[in-house]
mmCIF file of all heavy atoms in Angstrom:
data_model
loop_
_atom_site.group_PDB
_atom_site.id
_atom_site.type_symbol
_atom_site.label_atom_id
_atom_site.label_comp_id
_atom_site.label_asym_id
_atom_site.label_seq_id
_atom_site.Cartn_x
_atom_site.Cartn_y
_atom_site.Cartn_z
ATOM 1 N N ARG A 32 -4.659 9.119 1.452
ATOM 2 C CA ARG A 32 -4.734 10.573 1.588
ATOM 3 C C ARG A 32 -3.541 11.197 0.880
ATOM 4 O O ARG A 32 -2.390 10.922 1.206
ATOM 5 C CB ARG A 32 -4.722 10.976 3.061
ATOM 6 C CG ARG A 32 -5.798 10.295 3.901
ATOM 7 C CD ARG A 32 -7.150 10.929 3.735
ATOM 8 N NE ARG A 32 -8.153 10.301 4.596
ATOM 9 C CZ ARG A 32 -9.432 10.646 4.626
ATOM 10 N NH1 ARG A 32 -9.864 11.622 3.829
ATOM 11 N NH2 ARG A 32 -10.272 10.030 5.428
ATOM 12 N N ALA A 33 -3.815 12.042 -0.106
ATOM 13 C CA ALA A 33 -2.738 12.639 -0.896
ATOM 14 C C ALA A 33 -2.218 13.924 -0.281
ATOM 15 O O ALA A 33 -1.054 14.284 -0.459
ATOM 16 C CB ALA A 33 -3.236 12.910 -2.312
ATOM 17 N N GLY A 34 -3.081 14.644 0.426
ATOM 18 C CA GLY A 34 -2.657 15.925 0.976
ATOM 19 C C GLY A 34 -2.421 16.972 -0.095
ATOM 20 O O GLY A 34 -1.692 17.939 0.110
ATOM 21 N N GLY A 35 -3.025 16.782 -1.271
ATOM 22 C CA GLY A 35 -2.844 17.713 -2.373
ATOM 23 C C GLY A 35 -3.900 18.804 -2.380
ATOM 24 O O GLY A 35 -4.661 18.985 -1.427
ATOM 25 N N ASP A 36 -3.957 19.534 -3.497
ATOM 26 C CA ASP A 36 -4.865 20.674 -3.585
ATOM 27 C C ASP A 36 -6.156 20.341 -4.326
ATOM 28 O O ASP A 36 -6.946 21.233 -4.629
ATOM 29 C CB ASP A 36 -4.162 21.843 -4.293
ATOM 30 C CG ASP A 36 -3.621 21.448 -5.665
ATOM 31 O OD1 ASP A 36 -3.743 20.260 -6.028
ATOM 32 O OD2 ASP A 36 -3.084 22.333 -6.360
ATOM 33 N N GLN A 37 -6.383 19.050 -4.629
ATOM 34 C CA GLN A 37 -7.599 18.650 -5.330
ATOM 35 C C GLN A 37 -8.614 18.159 -4.297
ATOM 36 O O GLN A 37 -8.413 17.137 -3.659
ATOM 37 C CB GLN A 37 -7.298 17.539 -6.339
ATOM 38 C CG GLN A 37 -6.297 17.917 -7.414
ATOM 39 C CD GLN A 37 -6.885 18.889 -8.419
ATOM 40 O OE1 GLN A 37 -8.082 19.159 -8.414
ATOM 41 N NE2 GLN A 37 -6.049 19.427 -9.285
ATOM 42 N N PRO A 38 -9.736 18.880 -4.123
ATOM 43 C CA PRO A 38 -10.675 18.510 -3.064
ATOM 44 C C PRO A 38 -11.528 17.297 -3.386
ATOM 45 O O PRO A 38 -12.066 16.659 -2.469
ATOM 46 C CB PRO A 38 -11.561 19.755 -2.941
ATOM 47 C CG PRO A 38 -11.530 20.373 -4.315
ATOM 48 C CD PRO A 38 -10.162 20.095 -4.864
ATOM 49 N N ASP A 39 -11.687 16.968 -4.674
ATOM 50 C CA ASP A 39 -12.575 15.864 -5.045
ATOM 51 C C ASP A 39 -11.753 14.610 -5.331
ATOM 52 O O ASP A 39 -10.953 14.589 -6.256
ATOM 53 C CB ASP A 39 -13.436 16.237 -6.258
ATOM 54 C CG ASP A 39 -12.630 16.943 -7.337
ATOM 55 O OD1 ASP A 39 -12.426 18.157 -7.230
ATOM 56 O OD2 ASP A 39 -12.189 16.244 -8.281
ATOM 57 N N PRO A 40 -11.930 13.573 -4.549
ATOM 58 C CA PRO A 40 -11.109 12.361 -4.695
ATOM 59 C C PRO A 40 -11.579 11.493 -5.857
ATOM 60 O O PRO A 40 -12.591 11.759 -6.509
ATOM 61 C CB PRO A 40 -11.307 11.639 -3.372
ATOM 62 C CG PRO A 40 -12.676 12.047 -2.940
ATOM 63 C CD PRO A 40 -12.858 13.465 -3.423
ATOM 64 N N LEU A 41 -10.825 10.431 -6.092
ATOM 65 C CA LEU A 41 -11.165 9.410 -7.074
ATOM 66 C C LEU A 41 -11.528 8.146 -6.325
ATOM 67 O O LEU A 41 -10.769 7.681 -5.476
ATOM 68 C CB LEU A 41 -9.980 9.144 -8.004
ATOM 69 C CG LEU A 41 -10.149 8.009 -9.021
ATOM 70 C CD1 LEU A 41 -11.198 8.364 -10.060
ATOM 71 C CD2 LEU A 41 -8.812 7.680 -9.696
ATOM 72 N N VAL A 42 -12.697 7.586 -6.628
ATOM 73 C CA VAL A 42 -13.109 6.320 -6.006
ATOM 74 C C VAL A 42 -13.192 5.252 -7.090
ATOM 75 O O VAL A 42 -13.684 5.504 -8.191
ATOM 76 C CB VAL A 42 -14.448 6.466 -5.256
ATOM 77 C CG1 VAL A 42 -15.567 6.888 -6.193
ATOM 78 C CG2 VAL A 42 -14.814 5.152 -4.560
ATOM 79 N N PHE A 43 -12.698 4.069 -6.764
ATOM 80 C CA PHE A 43 -12.594 2.997 -7.759
ATOM 81 C C PHE A 43 -13.184 1.711 -7.210
ATOM 82 O O PHE A 43 -12.987 1.356 -6.046
ATOM 83 C CB PHE A 43 -11.123 2.762 -8.114
ATOM 84 C CG PHE A 43 -10.873 1.556 -8.973
ATOM 85 C CD1 PHE A 43 -11.128 1.598 -10.333
ATOM 86 C CD2 PHE A 43 -10.377 0.377 -8.424
ATOM 87 C CE1 PHE A 43 -10.905 0.480 -11.138
ATOM 88 C CE2 PHE A 43 -10.143 -0.743 -9.219
ATOM 89 C CZ PHE A 43 -10.405 -0.681 -10.585
ATOM 90 N N ALA A 44 -13.919 1.014 -8.071
ATOM 91 C CA ALA A 44 -14.357 -0.359 -7.797
ATOM 92 C C ALA A 44 -13.978 -1.194 -9.004
ATOM 93 O O ALA A 44 -14.104 -0.744 -10.144
ATOM 94 C CB ALA A 44 -15.866 -0.411 -7.558
ATOM 95 N N THR A 45 -13.499 -2.407 -8.763
ATOM 96 C CA THR A 45 -13.045 -3.229 -9.873
ATOM 97 C C THR A 45 -14.171 -4.113 -10.394
ATOM 98 O O THR A 45 -15.293 -4.097 -9.893
ATOM 99 C CB THR A 45 -11.832 -4.073 -9.455
ATOM 100 O OG1 THR A 45 -11.198 -4.590 -10.620
ATOM 101 C CG2 THR A 45 -12.232 -5.219 -8.557
ATOM 102 N N GLY A 46 -13.860 -4.895 -11.437
ATOM 103 C CA GLY A 46 -14.890 -5.650 -12.132
ATOM 104 C C GLY A 46 -15.055 -7.058 -11.622
ATOM 105 O O GLY A 46 -14.974 -7.347 -10.445
ATOM 106 N N GLY A 47 -15.236 -7.964 -12.539
ATOM 107 C CA GLY A 47 -15.444 -9.361 -12.201
ATOM 108 C C GLY A 47 -16.771 -9.877 -12.731
ATOM 109 O O GLY A 47 -16.852 -10.285 -13.886
ATOM 110 N N PRO A 48 -17.839 -9.837 -11.897
ATOM 111 C CA PRO A 48 -17.867 -9.470 -10.475
ATOM 112 C C PRO A 48 -16.991 -10.413 -9.634
ATOM 113 O O PRO A 48 -16.662 -11.498 -10.076
ATOM 114 C CB PRO A 48 -19.343 -9.644 -10.096
ATOM 115 C CG PRO A 48 -20.102 -9.705 -11.376
ATOM 116 C CD PRO A 48 -19.165 -10.287 -12.380
#
Side-chain angles (χ1 to χ4, degrees):
R32 306 281 183 182
D36 55 357
Q37 300 288 351
D39 44 277
L41 175 68
V42 60
F43 172 78
T45 195

